[in-house]
Amino acid sequence: MAIGPTDNAKPGIVLVTGAWHTPVHFEVLRVALEEQGYETYVPRLPTLGKTGLTWKDDAAAIQKAVEKRMDDGKEFVIAAHSYGGVPGCGATKGFTVHERAAAGKKGGFRAILFIAAFAMPEPNVDLLTAFGGKFPEWMAHELPYTGNASSFVQPTAKYAFFNDVPKDDADRYFELLERQSQDAYEVPVDRVPSNCGIPHTFLICENDQVNNIMTYLTGRCVVAMRRVSGLSSKARLRGTCIALTPRHALNTQATGSQTTNIEALKVNKDRLMETLHKTCSWGTGKRWGSGVNDTGMSRLALSHTDKEARDWFVDTTSSLGCDVKVDAMGNIFAVRPGRREGLATFAGSHLDTQPSGGRYDGILGVLAGVEMLRVLKDHQAETEFPVGVVNWTNEEGARFPISMVSSGVWAEEIPLETAYNLREVGGGTATMKSELERIDYLGSIPASYKSTPMAAHFELHIEQGPLLEAENQKIGVVHGVQAYRWFTVDVAGRDAHTGSTPLGNRADAMLLAARLITHSHRLATKHSALVSTGILTLTPGSTNTIPGHVRFTLDVRAPADSTVAALEADLKRDFAALAAGKNILGLLDEATPSKPLEVSWRTDSVSPATLFHHDCIAAVRASAEAVTGDTKLVRDMTSGAGHDSVYTSRHCPTSMIFVPSKNGVSHNPEEYTSPEDCAIGAQVLMQSVLRFDHMRASG
Ligand SMILES: [Zn+2]
């Protein structure tokens, strides 16, 4: 397809089209690039006009379009638009210059540029899931995940696609769109920016009507915001050719001068730790070592000690110049004014603990927020918009048995009355409402995101798992919280005498349950997911009776909803097969065949994956890299546990920051994070809040 004189010193360019778009749509750009001496290809994506084909077929077509030229030694930059980000990134697999060199081949992909494109947040997620599990309204589609489906656009999409294009051009370009295989968006990806192994950067179109909300910024590069208004107009396309040159794709760009101010502000590690331990004198728990701070915490929500910690929080933040408000769930919002009016960017977490908890879970997040306020005051630093710190009530759900209940009320997902009527565990008569009244924290403003909206919510938290410590890493950039589903499985066999029933005559519900649970572990391994059984009951429960009925629970978790759904399908299929006596993966080897049994399922709970906001994730990553000075110390993560950030993310941009937990231990007095790691986390938290504030100001 290359025409005209090309410059062999320049890399080639592969333009990857978005959904329903064809090479014709990119002709103006292709010609402009060729005129500048770039050998340019625009492969036609095989998913166009077809069903059943996926992004993998598109990725293969991209590779095929340039493989011969790579064999000649040619290197290419991928410039992917919109959906093209998925197959474009996928095409790098085995085809980067590094991978090809390792295989003794020449050429390859040198860099990738995402132009208002989907840069997927992590592997094993499909595009639809990343899009929030729902196709946009302007799209014509079939039922998700049914396979062999075809997708197209509604007439209303014309504005979204071609909003700044002259009407005649818009009409013509719209006519040229083709149907596309819906399966392309429903298959999990394996290559993402963070693991593609080549430089990658993002071009964000501020006037983009299609992808603005979903352009994930996950790369290990500083995001360059560019004022490019739409990409489809001929004039704009010519104008943006400069931005598409490899120089821009290869170099990451510094953000504005504001960041130097941000980086000049440093948290005071000693003050942070001293204050944290001081506040832990309210509700001190079990001693586990001989050091002065070697005790855990037992500060149940709305207890006397929780009130003391709250009073300290209110007094301290007030004295730091904050306006402090308490809502009807006792959530405390401390807001420091900015240069301009507007919503506050919040740091937040919780001051309550488990009855046998530690000094860091939740507490670190709030205390780091207070340290941020102190640093800002020390430097008399002004933020553009207000910044705040929030303490959420009863996050743990340890005293009043719903976790994250008060952020849940704030998000209007848990009714206020349900929360108020929660009775304390352990047989006491106190309710949340009576305790809020007793300690004088039943505030007058409604507990709702409508009454206390936030510009953003950043939460610093201990990892509560082993990954950061195991890899000697310092900061987890949290992209979301994993999905889970809970099931109750009933296995029905037949009660029988253990002494008089030969093995071949049994329908032993426990034996089958053991096999099912064993197999669930294997399937979890296959899907890189988690499956756990926490409750198991046998009936009738007698030493000399083979149990005729067993009930057990399954807790299934994975970062992506699609993984949980696929694992559930595999579990149901294989459980039925095992019940019917089929030998799967040798489970029945050397065993006596059994009489048939029945397996039935009940779904108890479905919690979809939470995906945090790209702007917040980008702010956390940029801050983490700036603070640690080494990308190897920073990793992308999905939270295994729930946090208040799950609820805030429903109503404002949100992300979390994880710091290492010693031995991965939490909800335990010995929970520990070193002062150095606490300070690094607090520094990243402060920078993230300030970066977000700058981003809004320059918005
Ligand atoms: Zn927590």
Side-chain angles (χ1 to χ4, degrees):
M1 201 181 288
I3 53 156
T6 56
D7 181 344
N8 280 333
K10 291 181 173 175
I13 293 179
V14 187
L15 299 173
V16 185
T17 58
W20 314 292
H21 285 66
T22 71
V24 178
H25 289 96
F26 277 66
E27 191 58 13
V28 174
L29 177 58
R30 191 187 66 76
V31 170
L33 288 167
E34 294 273 356
E35 281 169 5
Q36 293 192 23
Y38 291 102
E39 185 177 327
T40 305
Y41 296 83
V42 194
R44 182 184 160 84
L45 300 182
T47 48
L48 286 170
K50 296 276 181 4
T51 61
L53 299 186
T54 75
W55 65 263
K56 293 183 183 181
D57 300 289
D58 291 340
I62 295 163
Q63 293 167 342
K64 191 154 169 270
V66 290
E67 189 172 9
K68 282 209 177 65
R69 292 293 290 128
M70 287 179 173
D71 289 340
D72 298 336
K74 189 78 180 171
E75 294 185 355
F76 287 87
V77 172
I78 297 171
H81 177 228
S82 193
Y83 157 78
V86 172
C89 204
T92 63
K93 192 172 181 182
F95 277 73
T96 64
V97 286
H98 315 296
E99 286 162 299
R100 284 178 61 89
K105 294 178 184 169
K106 292 189 288 184
F109 292 123
R110 168 63 67 185
I112 179 165
L113 168 63
F114 294 86
I115 309 166
F118 292 102
M120 295 290 284
E122 60 194 351
N124 304 318
V125 176
D126 62 75
L127 181 54
L128 176 56
T129 299
F131 211 89
K134 234 175 94 181
F135 288 119
E137 275 172 19
W138 46 258
M139 193 172 147
H141 59 87
E142 299 180 35
L143 264 185
Y145 301 114
T146 48
N148 280 321
S150 175
S151 74
F152 203 45
V153 290
Q154 309 275 13
T156 49
K158 194 192 289 185
Y159 171 77
F161 284 176
F162 307 111
N163 66 80
D164 62 350
V165 177
K167 188 177 173 306
D168 285 356
D169 284 354
D171 289 345
R172 190 171 71 85
Y173 284 130
F174 195 72
E175 281 300 306
L176 288 167
L177 295 174
E178 296 185 26
R179 301 187 72 87
Q180 187 176 24
S181 169
Q182 185 176 312
D183 306 43
Y185 330 126
E186 298 175 350
V187 172
V189 301
D190 47 14
R191 274 279 168 127
V192 296
S194 57
N195 72 9
C196 73
I198 50 175
H200 43 277
T201 194
F202 309 90
L203 187 75
I204 299 162
C205 301
E206 291 173 349
N207 199 22
D208 180 354
Q209 304 296 309
V210 180
N211 292 337
N212 250 352
I213 52 161
M214 281 301 299
T215 310
Y216 273 99
L217 310 174
T218 57
R220 294 177 186 280
C221 61
V222 181
V223 174
M225 294 287 288
R226 295 206 153 271
R227 290 183 181 280
V228 180
S229 176
L231 272 176
S232 296
S233 109
K234 196 168 168 181
R236 296 284 182 195
L237 282 176
R238 286 189 181 279
T240 51
C241 285
I242 299 153
L244 291 172
T245 58
R247 185 167 56 83
H248 288 78
L250 290 167
N251 296 339
T252 57
Q253 312 218 339
T255 47
S257 58
Q258 301 275 32
T259 48
T260 50
N261 298 341
I262 290 175
E263 284 164 19
L265 299 174
K266 295 271 187 277
V267 305
N268 180 330
K269 180 182 76 181
D270 294 341
R271 178 173 63 186
L272 169 67
M273 298 317 293
E274 203 178 292
T275 313
L276 182 142
H277 291 307
K278 182 190 136 195
T279 65
C280 286
S281 64
W282 300 305
T284 301
K286 264 186 229 149
R287 177 159 289 282
W288 57 269
S290 55
V292 61
N293 295 321
D294 293 351
T295 62
M297 287 297 293
S298 182
R299 189 160 68 206
L300 293 175
L302 309 184
S303 61
H304 177 64
T305 51
D306 186 32
K307 175 181 168 52
E308 289 181 295
R310 287 163 169 270
D311 289 349
W312 167 84
F313 179 75
V314 171
D315 291 348
T316 306
T317 53
S318 301
S319 72
L320 290 168
C322 289
D323 177 27
V324 182
K325 288 202 170 77
V326 180
D327 74 10
M329 284 303 296
N331 298 318
I332 311 173
F333 305 88
V335 175
R336 182 180 189 268
R339 212 171 284 146
R340 310 188 214 173
E341 299 271 305
L343 301 183
T345 299
F346 277 90
S349 200
H350 57 96
L351 288 170
D352 71 315
T353 78
Q354 289 283 327
S356 181
R359 292 179 166 236
Y360 302 89
D361 177 352
I363 299 172
L364 176 62
V366 177
L367 271 286
V370 172
E371 174 60 22
M372 169 183 78
L373 296 173
R374 286 178 164 162
V375 174
L376 293 174
K377 180 148 193 251
D378 291 347
H379 291 79
Q380 295 179 316
E382 271 194 319
T383 52
E384 199 61 35
F385 293 98
V387 298
V389 183
V390 52
N391 171 46
W392 298 103
T393 300
N394 193 58
E395 189 276 346
E396 294 289 359
R399 184 176 184 201
F400 301 100
I402 296 182
S403 302
M404 308 172 282
V405 64
S406 304
S407 52
V409 174
W410 176 88
E412 298 195 357
E413 295 196 21
I414 298 173
L416 182 69
E417 285 310 307
T418 304
Y420 274 173
N421 292 332
L422 281 176
R423 205 169 279 276
E424 66 179 340
V425 297
T429 55
T431 63
M432 268 203 101
K433 187 171 187 193
S434 71
E435 285 296 271
L436 281 166
E437 280 168 340
R438 184 183 68 82
I439 68 164
D440 208 15
Y441 274 90
L442 199 153
S444 55
I445 54 172
S448 165
Y449 67 93
K450 290 171 187 154
S451 301
T452 317
M454 299 181 173
H457 183 262
F458 289 92
E459 184 170 7
L460 169 65
H461 206 279
I462 56 171
E463 181 199 342
Q464 305 180 284
L467 300 179
L468 287 168
E469 185 184 57
E471 300 292 329
N472 274 322
Q473 290 171 307
K474 292 298 178 192
I475 293 289
V477 179
V478 186
H479 287 243
V481 178
Q482 66 183 346
Y484 68 84
R485 291 187 193 184
W486 290 353
F487 304 98
T488 297
V489 179
D490 282 292
V491 182
R494 194 180 58 210
D495 297 354
H497 194 291
T498 55
S500 57
T501 316
L503 292 178
N505 274 39
R506 298 181 178 198
D508 183 338
M510 184 56 222
L511 182 63
L512 177 59
R515 288 171 174 153
L516 300 181
I517 293 167
T518 301
H519 190 59
S520 74
H521 172 88
R522 292 168 158 179
L523 288 177
T525 306
K526 175 184 148 194
H527 286 273
S528 302
L530 301 171
V531 178
S532 314
T533 293
I535 300 175
L536 178 79
T537 50
L538 289 70
T539 313
S542 159
T543 303
N544 60 355
T545 302
I546 296 157
H549 178 251
V550 169
R551 170 172 288 185
F552 64 92
T553 55
L554 280 179
D555 170 321
V556 179
R557 295 182 192 237
D561 294 322
S562 56
T563 310
V564 172
L567 177 51
E568 178 187 346
D570 277 7
L571 285 163
K572 286 183 169 165
R573 181 198 62 211
D574 287 359
F575 278 19
L578 284 163
K582 193 169 167 221
N583 188 2
I584 297 178
L585 294 171
L587 264 176
L588 305 186
D589 285 358
E590 298 177 37
T592 307
S594 150
K595 294 288 178 203
L597 295 96
E598 277 188 18
V599 174
S600 57
W601 289 71
R602 187 182 77 209
T603 303
D604 298 320
S605 186
V606 174
S607 175
T610 296
L611 293 173
F612 289 150
H613 194 277
H614 49 83
D615 288 342
C616 293
I617 293 169
V620 171
R621 175 161 277 285
S623 304
E625 292 184 357
V627 171
T628 62
D630 184 351
T631 57
K632 289 199 282 301
L633 298 177
V634 181
R635 72 183 290 149
D636 294 316
M637 302 186 76
T638 299
S639 174
H643 297 283
D644 291 309
S645 288
V646 169
Y647 282 120
T648 63
S649 73
R650 312 268 164 88
H651 297 286
C652 71
T654 294
S655 181
M656 293 185 71
I657 300 152
F658 278 174
V659 288
S661 293
K662 187 180 173 195
N663 299 325
V665 166
S666 168
H667 287 195
N668 182 311
E670 294 189 41
E671 172 183 288
Y672 181 76
T673 299
S674 73
E676 291 70 29
D677 288 348
C678 289
I680 291 171
Q683 186 73 33
V684 172
L685 175 72
M686 180 171 67
Q687 279 202 13
S688 301
V689 168
L690 297 178
R691 275 174 206 274
F692 192 87
D693 179 61
H694 282 324
M695 199 196 73
R696 290 170 71 197
S698 58

